[in-house]
C-alpha cells in the first residue's frame, strides 16, 4: 500500500537506477478542469472585431456609393477643364477665378441650349395638340377606306374618355407626380454636388497634388505626377474628339433637316450632335427620335428619310470618323474602346460608359512605359502572308536558317535556285 504524506498526496518512490521512468500523459490531452489558453479569448475578440469591421465597411460603402460615383464624375470633369484653367492661370489669372470663368461659360452655354430646346418642344407640343383632331380625322378616314368601316371621331373620343385604361392611367400619373418631383430635386442636388467637387478639384489642383505627393517617397511622387499628366491629356483628348464628332454630326443633320424644311433645324442639329456623343449606348436613338417626331408633323415621309439618314450616318461615324479621331486624340484601339464601354456600363452604368474610354486610355499610356518592346523581324508572315516553298503546295519554309560553321559552305535557303 502506497504511503501518503500529511497532505494526503501519494508519495512517489524514486525509480531504481537503470529503470525506465513512467511515461507522462501527452501535453495536448488536457486534464479535467484545466484552464483555456490565454490567447484564445484574444483571438475570438479579434475575429469578431474583424467581422464587425468588414460588415460596417460594406454597409458604409453601399451607403456612399452614390457619393463616390459623383466624386468620380467630378474628378474626370476637373481633368477635362484642367488645360483651360492652367492656360488662364499661366497668363497671370488666379486659379480660382479661372475655374469660375470656365464654369460660367459652360453654364451659359448649357442654359442657352436648354432654353432653346424647351421653347422648341413647347411650340411643337402646342402645335401637335392643336392639330390632333386633323390627325385623328385623317387616321379614321384611312381606316374607313381601307377596312370599309364607319368610324366617327366623336365615337372614338367618347370611347377614350370613358375607358377604364385612361382612368387608371390618369390615377397612376397623378400618383407619380410626387415621385417625378423627388427625382428632379435629387438630380439637381446631384448636379450641384458634382459641380462643387469638380470646382474644388480644378481650382485646388496644385494643392491636391502636393498633398497627395507629401505622403509618398520621391520615386512614387514622380509616377503619380506622370499618371496625373497622362490622365489630363487623355481626358481632354477624349472630350475634344467627342466635341469634334458632335460638331460634324450636328452640321450634317442640320443640312438634312434644313433641306427637308423641318422647323427648328439648328436646335435639332445641336441636339443630335450633343446627345449622340455624350450619352453613351442609347444616345444615338434618343438623338434621332426627336428630329423624326418633328419631321413627322411636317410629312410622315420626312420621318422615314430622317431615320434612313441617321442609320447611314451612324455607320459612317462608327467605321470611318470615330476610329480616326479616337486614334489621334485618345490613341486606343476601337475594339478596346468598345470593350471598355461595355465593361464600364456593367460596373457603373451610364457613368461608367462615359468615363471608361479616358480611364482605359490613361491606364494604357501609363503602363506602356513599363512594357519592354523589341524590333519586329522583317518577316512577311507578320503581315499575314504565307511563305510557300518548292516542296509542294501549302508547305511553309522555315523562318530561320542555321549559320554555317568555320569551313562550311553557305547553305542555300529552301526553295531557292
Amino acid at each position: 500500500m502506497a504511503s501518503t504524506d500529511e497532505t494526503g498526496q501519494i508519495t512517489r518512490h524514486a525509480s531504481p537506477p537503470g529503470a525506465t521512468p513512467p511515461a507522462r500523459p501527452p501535453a495536448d490531452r488536457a486534464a479535467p478542469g484545466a484552464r483555456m489558453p490565454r490567447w484564445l479569448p484574444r483571438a475570438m475578440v479579434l475575429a469578431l472585431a474583424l467581422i464587425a469591421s468588414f460588415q460596417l465597411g460594406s454597409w458604409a460603402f453601399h451607403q456612399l456609393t452614390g457619393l463616390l460615383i459623383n466624386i468620380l464624375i467630378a474628378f474626370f470633369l476637373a481633368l477635362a477643364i484642367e488645360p483651360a484653367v492652367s492656360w488662364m492661370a499661366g497668363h497671370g489669372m488666379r486659379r480660382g477665378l479661372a475655374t469660375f470663368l470656365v464654369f460660367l461659360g459652360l453654364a451659359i452655354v448649357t442654359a442657352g441650349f436648354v432654353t432653346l430646346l424647351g421653347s422648341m418642344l413647347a411650340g411643337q407640343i402646342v402645335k401637335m395638340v392643336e392639330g390632333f383632331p386633323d390627325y385623328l380625322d385623317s387616321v379614321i378616314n384611312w381606316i374607313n377606306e381601307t377596312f370599309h368601316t364607319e368610324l366617327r371621331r366623336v365615337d372614338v373620343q367618347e370611347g377614350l374618355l370613358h375607358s377604364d385604361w385612361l382612368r387608371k392611367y390618369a390615377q397612376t400619373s397623378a400618383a407619380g407626380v410626387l415621385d417625378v418631383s423627388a427625382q428632379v430635386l435629387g438630380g439637381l442636388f446631384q448636379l450641384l454636388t458634382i459641380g462643387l467637387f469638380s470646382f474644388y478639384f480644378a481650382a485646388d489642383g496644385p494643392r491636391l497634388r502636393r498633398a497627395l505627393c507629401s505622403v509618398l517617397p520621391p520615386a512614387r511622387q514622380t509616377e503619380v505626377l506622370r499618371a496625373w499628366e497622362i490622365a489630363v491629356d487623355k481626358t481632354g483628348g477624349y472630350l475634344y474628339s467627342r466635341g469634334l464628332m458632335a460638331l460634324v454630326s450636328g452640321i450634317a443633320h442640320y443640312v438634312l433637316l434644313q433641306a427637308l424644311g423641318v422647323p427648328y433645324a439648328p436646335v435639332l442639329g445641336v441636339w443630335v450632335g450633343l446627345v449622340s456623343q455624350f450619352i453613351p449606348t442609347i444616345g444615338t436613338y434618343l438623338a434621332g427620335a426627336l428630329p423624326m417626331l418633328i419631321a413627322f408633323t411636317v410629312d410622315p415621309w420626312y420621318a422615314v428619310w430622317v431615320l434612313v439618314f441617321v442609320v447611314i450616318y451612324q455607320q459612317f461615324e462608327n467605321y470611318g470618323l470615330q476610329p480616326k479621331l479616337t486614334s489621334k486624340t485618345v490613341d486606343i484601339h476601337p475594339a478596346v474602346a468598345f470593350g471598355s464601354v461595355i465593361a464600364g456600363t456593367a460596373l457603373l452604368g451610364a457613368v461608367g460608359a462615359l468615363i471608361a474610354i479616358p480611364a482605359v486610355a490613361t491606364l494604357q499610356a501609363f503602363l506602356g512605359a513599363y512594357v519592354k518592346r523589341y524590333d519586329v523581324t522583317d518577316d512577311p508572315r507578320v503581315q499575314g502572308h504565307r511563305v510557300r516553298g518548292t516542296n509542294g503546295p501549302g508547305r511553309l519554309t522555315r523562318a530561320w536558317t542555321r549559320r554555317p560553321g568555320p569551313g562550311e559552305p553557305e547553305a542555300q535557303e529552301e526553295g531557292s535556285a
Side-chain angles (χ1 to χ4, degrees):
M1 184 174 185
S3 62
T4 59
D5 55 6
E6 296 179 356
T7 59
Q9 295 181 350
I10 299 176
T11 304
R12 297 179 180 178
H13 297 280
S15 300
T20 304
R24 296 182 179 181
D28 55 348
R29 295 181 182 178
R35 299 174 59 184
M36 70 173 60
R38 295 180 178 180
W39 56 266
L40 185 58
R42 299 178 183 177
M44 295 176 62
V45 172
L46 181 60
L48 292 177
L50 290 177
I51 295 175
S53 301
F54 176 77
Q55 294 292 336
L56 181 61
S58 177
W59 172 81
F61 177 78
H62 284 88
Q63 295 295 323
L64 298 176
T65 300
L67 178 61
L68 296 177
I69 293 177
N70 292 338
I71 293 176
L72 184 62
I73 298 173
F75 179 72
F76 274 93
L77 181 59
L79 292 180
I81 65 175
E82 177 82 14
V85 174
S86 299
W87 181 83
M88 297 173 69
H91 285 74
M93 186 178 297
R94 295 181 59 184
R95 194 173 182 89
L97 180 59
T99 306
F100 174 76
L101 291 178
V102 172
F103 271 89
L104 181 62
L106 292 176
I108 291 174
V109 172
T110 304
F113 173 70
V114 171
T115 302
L116 292 176
L117 185 63
S119 62
M120 180 198 68
L121 290 177
Q124 290 300 315
I125 290 174
V126 170
K127 183 178 178 181
M128 292 177 63
V129 170
E130 292 178 350
F132 181 74
D134 297 333
Y135 292 130
L136 187 58
D137 288 338
S138 62
V139 172
I140 290 175
N141 293 332
W142 179 81
I143 293 176
N144 290 334
E145 293 176 358
T146 304
F147 299 100
H148 304 288
T149 58
E150 295 181 356
L151 293 177
R152 294 184 304 172
R153 188 177 70 183
V154 178
D155 298 336
V156 176
Q157 291 177 349
E158 289 181 356
L160 289 176
L161 291 176
H162 295 86
S163 62
D164 295 334
W165 173 83
L166 184 62
R167 188 181 303 109
K168 292 180 180 179
Y169 178 78
Q171 293 175 356
T172 305
S173 300
V177 170
L178 295 177
D179 296 337
V180 172
S181 302
Q183 291 179 1
V184 170
L185 293 177
L188 292 177
F189 180 76
Q190 184 179 5
L191 185 62
L192 179 62
T193 303
I194 294 173
L196 288 176
F197 273 107
S198 59
F199 180 85
Y200 292 141
F201 286 154
D204 293 340
R207 186 183 304 176
L208 180 61
R209 287 190 287 268
R210 183 177 296 275
L212 182 61
C213 292
S214 64
V215 297
L216 299 174
R220 299 298 181 184
Q221 294 178 14
T222 304
E223 298 299 327
V224 168
L225 294 177
R226 188 172 69 87
W228 196 297
E229 184 179 2
I230 292 174
V232 170
D233 294 338
K234 296 301 181 180
T235 305
Y238 172 71
L239 292 181
Y240 167 76
S241 62
R242 286 293 176 178
L244 190 58
M245 286 191 293
L247 179 62
V248 175
S249 177
I251 293 176
H253 289 83
Y254 163 74
V255 171
L256 172 69
L257 297 174
Q258 190 68 27
L260 295 177
V262 178
Y264 304 102
V267 182
L268 289 175
V270 176
W271 162 266
V272 173
L274 293 179
V275 174
S276 63
Q277 301 303 323
F278 291 100
I279 296 183
T281 309
I282 62 174
T284 302
Y285 309 103
L286 293 177
L290 184 59
M292 289 174 55
L293 180 62
I294 304 301
F296 184 82
T297 61
V298 179
D299 190 341
W301 282 107
Y302 288 174
V304 177
W305 284 112
V306 172
L307 175 61
V308 172
F309 182 81
V310 167
V311 173
I312 294 177
Y313 180 81
Q314 188 65 29
Q315 303 306 314
F316 162 73
E317 181 182 282
N318 291 338
Y319 297 102
L321 185 62
Q322 182 175 351
K324 294 182 179 180
L325 292 179
T326 303
S327 62
K328 293 182 180 298
T329 56
V330 187
D331 193 17
I332 185 173
H333 194 274
V336 178
F338 181 71
S340 63
V341 169
I342 295 178
T345 305
L347 293 176
L348 297 176
V351 176
L354 186 62
I355 66 176
I357 294 180
V360 172
T362 301
L363 182 62
Q364 176 180 331
F366 180 75
L367 296 179
Y370 300 97
V371 177
K372 188 176 181 180
R373 299 182 181 273
Y374 302 91
D375 293 334
V376 180
T377 179
D378 200 8
D379 196 311
R381 286 173 294 183
V382 176
Q383 304 297 331
H385 303 296
R386 301 186 67 188
V387 182
R388 300 182 180 275
T390 58
N391 295 331
R395 183 174 180 180
L396 303 179
T397 60
R398 292 187 177 182
W400 54 273
T401 55
R402 187 178 66 86
R403 292 182 175 274
E408 295 181 3
E410 292 287 341
Q412 293 184 349
E413 295 183 359
E414 185 179 356
S416 59

